[in-house]
Amino acid sequence: MLRVLAVDDEEPALEELLYLLRADPRIRSAEGATGATEALRRIGSAVDAGPDDPSAIDVVFLDIHMAGLTGLDVAQLLAGFAAPPLIVFVTAHEGFAVHAFDLKAVDYVLKPVRRERLAEAVRRVAEQVQDRSAPVVHDTAQDQIAVELGGVIRFVPVDDIAYAEAQGDYARLHTDTGSHLVRVPLTTLEERWRTRGFVRIHRRHLVALGRIDELRLDAGSMSVRIGTAELAVSRRHSRALRDLLMRRTSR
């Protein structure tokens, strides 16, 4: 259950945002602030009080254009806190998206805010809050995958795999030195390797995000280059991939 502070210097917009947030069952509490100064005061008090205090804040839904300090200014100040809340920007302007993700925002929601889009932002926040609190357990069995080659079972490190390609009920794993066919569906590998930085870019391809050398845009289509391979990105996955790459480069 999330504890939320919404910040907007336009009261009608703030009230509408609070109404939508409070209707989401994943929100424990949603309070509002009508400016950056009030928001910083409340966040500072919440951080000082600790995560178990009733005033604690998990996430700030933050307008960018405000009188005085902007939402971007607030985010930059929060970056200096030892344990700042997460940030979701809510704005009518698309042009600040890259800057927002540079500041490690969880999401960037455009006004007028749609209930479905806000619900997606809340889902992303909930996942990150859960990841923060979950104990770290390392499963060494996930570090490698067994492949058969000429009647011999070999164990290929997952970190060596650049991308996987669907071939019916099988998947072909591509490394720098060759490829291996395994009897595992691509959907299973997607779920198994999600936390290891693999992302689906197409119904046929699962790629290691850190192995992408280039993102290419050509006449409305998108592709990625991994070594000498160029792989198409489907429209369904293009926006999520761009968001992930922007966050990766901002770290």
Side-chain angles (χ1 to χ4, degrees):
M1 298 290 286
L2 300 173
R3 299 158 295 186
V4 176
L5 178 66
V7 187
D8 197 313
D9 61 352
E10 296 181 1
E11 290 197 23
L14 179 60
E15 290 302 319
E16 175 67 14
L17 179 57
L18 288 171
Y19 172 78
L20 293 173
L21 287 167
R22 289 166 180 164
D24 192 307
R26 294 164 295 189
I27 304 296
R28 177 193 300 180
S29 63
E31 304 299 328
T34 55
T37 301
E38 179 188 356
L40 287 169
R41 177 182 58 78
R42 294 175 66 169
I43 294 167
S45 298
V47 170
D48 289 342
D52 297 323
D53 191 84
S55 67
I57 298 169
D58 296 308
V59 57
V60 181
F61 283 77
L62 186 58
D63 186 30
I64 287 183
H65 278 286
M66 295 187 291
L69 290 175
T70 69
L72 297 174
D73 294 330
V74 172
Q76 288 175 329
L77 290 170
L78 292 182
F81 283 42
L86 300 173
I87 294 173
V88 173
F89 284 107
V90 183
T91 178
H93 304 275
E94 295 187 29
F96 293 99
V98 173
H99 197 174
F101 286 118
D102 284 345
L103 293 168
K104 296 183 172 60
V106 176
D107 209 342
Y108 188 89
V109 179
L110 290 175
K111 297 179 180 179
V113 178
R114 294 183 293 108
R115 187 185 300 270
E116 297 80 6
R117 182 64 184 86
L118 187 64
E120 171 63 15
V122 172
R123 183 192 66 77
R124 294 182 182 183
V125 170
E127 285 184 352
Q128 290 210 18
V129 169
Q130 185 176 12
D131 289 345
R132 279 182 169 185
S133 58
V136 176
V137 178
H138 182 65
D139 184 359
T140 56
Q142 297 298 322
D143 289 343
Q144 53 193 8
I145 184 169
V147 301
E148 185 177 353
L149 185 63
V152 177
I153 301 296
R154 292 183 54 208
F155 294 92
V156 176
V158 174
D159 288 343
D160 288 353
I161 298 167
Y163 67 96
E165 180 181 6
Q167 294 189 356
D169 291 333
Y170 291 75
R172 182 166 293 280
L173 311 178
H174 294 265
T175 70
D176 292 339
T177 57
S179 68
H180 310 277
L181 193 64
V182 294
R183 192 169 185 173
V184 183
L186 199 64
T187 52
T188 300
L189 294 179
E190 178 184 10
E191 183 65 28
R192 186 183 298 173
W193 293 345
R194 191 186 308 275
T195 58
R196 300 187 67 93
F198 281 78
V199 295
R200 194 71 170 259
I201 64 167
H202 191 277
R203 62 183 177 82
R204 290 192 58 200
H205 291 119
L206 179 72
V207 305
L209 195 66
R211 300 293 291 270
I212 294 176
D213 297 311
E214 289 181 358
L215 178 67
R216 298 179 176 179
L217 300 172
D218 183 22
S221 64
M222 181 184 294
S223 63
V224 296
R225 184 178 64 80
I226 300 177
T228 59
E230 185 170 350
L231 309 175
V233 180
S234 68
R235 290 186 179 181
R236 175 185 173 189
H237 296 95
S238 60
R239 179 171 179 175
L241 179 63
R242 291 179 72 172
D243 287 351
L244 285 169
L245 289 173
M246 281 194 294
R247 293 181 200 181
R248 174 188 165 209
T249 56
S250 69
R251 291 173 184 169

